[in-house]
Amino acid sequence: MSAALGVAMGVANAVGYLVVLLLSRSLGASDFGGYSALSAYGVLLSIPAGAFQVIIARRIAMNRAGEVTSGLRATLLLSALATTITVVLAPVLAAAFHLSSLWAVVLLAAMLPGMLITGCLQGILLGSHRLPALASLYVVTAVTRLIAAFVAAAVHADVTGVMAAMLTANVLTVLVGGWLCRRELRTVPTTGHALVREMLRSNSSLAAFIALTNVDVLLARHFLSPHESGGYALASTFARAIFWGTQFIALIVVPRMHRVDATRALLRATGLVVLIGLTGFAIVAINPRFWVTAAGGPEYAEYGPLALACVLLGIAWALAQLWLFSEMSRGGAVLGALTWVVTAAQIAVIALWMHGSGAQIALVCGIGATVIAVGGLVELRLRR
């Protein structure tokens, strides 16, 4: 069953590449950079989805009285707050991301409840050990986004049209996820003891990681030219492919952190992440220009070396993700705090100095993620 989840997340990752291929070509580098920045902002606001997934999975798996919950009540409240804030800030965000219409931001705001609810549904399936169903939900999420991107590209939609199509895909995903979890939704309470407090504690670590892996696109959009920001957005997709593609390893490790062989499982998972990452690097290194052109078209050909550098960045992100997820499952917060410090430091370094090119931004982010991964190893040795 774990293999099925890994395959599904690999398929979802591959489909995500097709989405990039369609949108990077149909929007062009300048608008693709704006779309990527807006999407990164949406990811930052949907941070609680990942925290709920981990917390709900742990609570359902441990099955303690008063703790088992679907988390839907808290999710609806948080998503309503995030949506309201985004709508109010729509004019400011549209100007900051150089968007032609604030409706793109409003449509993103409408997607936030679906993003958070999907995180809860994934947590229910993971905690119930329904890995085939969880795998199906990942595939559905990816395929609906692919269909939305295809339709948007076919009608030559701008960023606003793309966001409208993605909103439709978002709604369909929630409906499918609700159907997969229909049994649990009838029996599992919508809230649980100290859920919000635990979410805030765990959410801090996950929020730090998501900020770590998304601020680069925002900074690139601000400091680079519109065309260069689009090139960086495409190249950074190679980094995201690595940690998206290995995320199933981090998720599988979560329930195993309460077993006697937790340390061995974590070290094996680390080795597997490195192996997958180096395999991806070897494949791209054969002809980086070919891969980046295949993803975005001739307009992005010059960004082949940057895409290869971003693969290394992705390996560092994947390792940081693994160690942070393992710490979250134990209720720790040391690495989460370190990640906040590293994220703040790399923002300062990029803003004040290293923002002359996409390669400089990727280098700073890669060093930061490596510091976190090494911190995880040190923390493990101290605990042992």
Side-chain angles (χ1 to χ4, degrees):
M1 291 190 294
S2 297
L5 180 59
V7 170
M9 296 188 76
V11 170
N13 189 41
V15 172
Y17 258 108
L18 294 178
V19 172
V20 169
L21 184 151
L22 288 168
L23 296 182
S24 61
R25 291 170 183 264
S26 65
L27 291 174
S30 296
D31 281 348
F32 182 66
Y35 165 78
S36 298
L38 183 59
S39 297
Y41 173 81
V43 170
L44 291 174
L45 286 188
S46 65
I47 284 173
F52 277 128
Q53 179 178 351
V54 175
I55 294 169
I56 292 169
R58 183 189 65 80
R59 288 192 171 205
I60 291 179
M62 296 180 70
N63 196 27
R64 291 177 179 173
E67 290 192 355
V68 177
T69 176
S70 66
L72 287 178
R73 181 179 299 177
T75 295
L76 292 174
L77 290 174
L78 285 174
S79 61
L81 177 62
T83 298
T84 301
I85 292 174
T86 302
V87 170
V88 171
L89 295 178
V92 177
L93 294 172
F97 298 149
H98 309 293
L99 301 172
S100 59
S101 171
L102 59 81
W103 283 108
V105 182
V106 174
L107 290 168
L108 172 67
M111 293 172 60
L112 296 176
M115 292 178 180
L116 269 65
I117 292 172
T118 299
C120 290
L121 299 176
Q122 290 169 343
I124 292 172
L125 296 174
L126 179 61
S128 303
H129 301 288
R130 295 180 58 196
L131 298 187
L134 178 59
S136 299
L137 185 55
Y138 275 113
V139 171
V140 167
T141 302
V143 171
T144 54
R145 285 178 57 83
L146 176 61
I147 295 173
F150 179 82
V151 172
V155 300
H156 304 289
D158 58 7
V159 176
T160 301
V162 170
M163 297 309 298
M166 291 301 174
L167 174 59
T168 303
N170 174 272
V171 173
L172 291 175
T173 297
V174 172
L175 293 176
V176 172
W179 183 81
L180 290 172
C181 297
R182 60 192 183 281
R183 181 181 59 198
E184 289 83 358
L185 292 176
R186 287 195 297 265
T187 59
V188 176
T190 58
T191 189
H193 177 68
L195 175 63
V196 175
R197 183 166 63 248
E198 183 179 0
M199 189 277 296
L200 291 175
R201 185 176 66 249
S202 296
N203 197 44
S204 177
S205 296
L206 189 65
F209 175 72
I210 294 178
L212 180 80
T213 56
N214 282 276
V215 295
D216 62 319
V217 174
L218 300 178
L219 292 168
R221 184 66 177 177
H222 179 71
F223 288 107
L224 304 180
S225 69
H227 185 276
E228 288 176 325
S229 72
Y232 181 86
L234 180 65
S236 68
T237 304
F238 287 77
R240 286 163 178 75
I242 298 297
F243 83 83
W244 285 341
T246 58
Q247 191 176 71
F248 77 97
I249 300 174
L251 291 175
I252 291 172
V253 162
V254 168
R256 299 181 181 180
M257 286 297 97
H258 300 280
R259 300 180 182 177
V260 294
D261 62 341
T263 299
R264 180 179 301 177
L266 184 55
L267 293 176
R268 286 178 176 176
T270 300
L272 183 56
V273 167
V274 172
L275 178 61
I276 294 174
L278 291 179
T279 300
F281 179 83
I283 293 173
V284 176
I286 296 173
N287 192 339
R289 183 185 179 94
F290 165 79
W291 288 109
V292 77
T293 302
E299 184 180 5
Y300 300 88
E302 63 186 285
Y303 298 103
L306 180 58
L308 185 60
C310 283
V311 174
L312 295 176
L313 170 60
I315 296 174
W317 277 346
L319 290 172
Q321 172 182 246
L322 174 65
W323 287 93
L324 278 168
F325 271 50
S326 67
E327 182 186 67
M328 287 170 58
S329 69
R330 299 191 308 268
V334 175
L335 285 184
L338 175 62
T339 304
W340 277 120
V341 173
V342 168
T343 301
Q346 71 183 29
I347 291 174
V349 170
I350 293 172
L352 298 175
W353 178 33
M354 299 283 284
H355 58 250
S357 67
Q360 289 183 348
I361 293 175
L363 175 62
V364 174
C365 294
I367 292 174
T370 301
V371 169
I372 297 166
V374 172
L377 286 169
V378 172
E379 197 256 349
L380 174 64
R381 184 167 182 84
L382 291 176
R383 282 193 292 110
R384 293 184 65 184

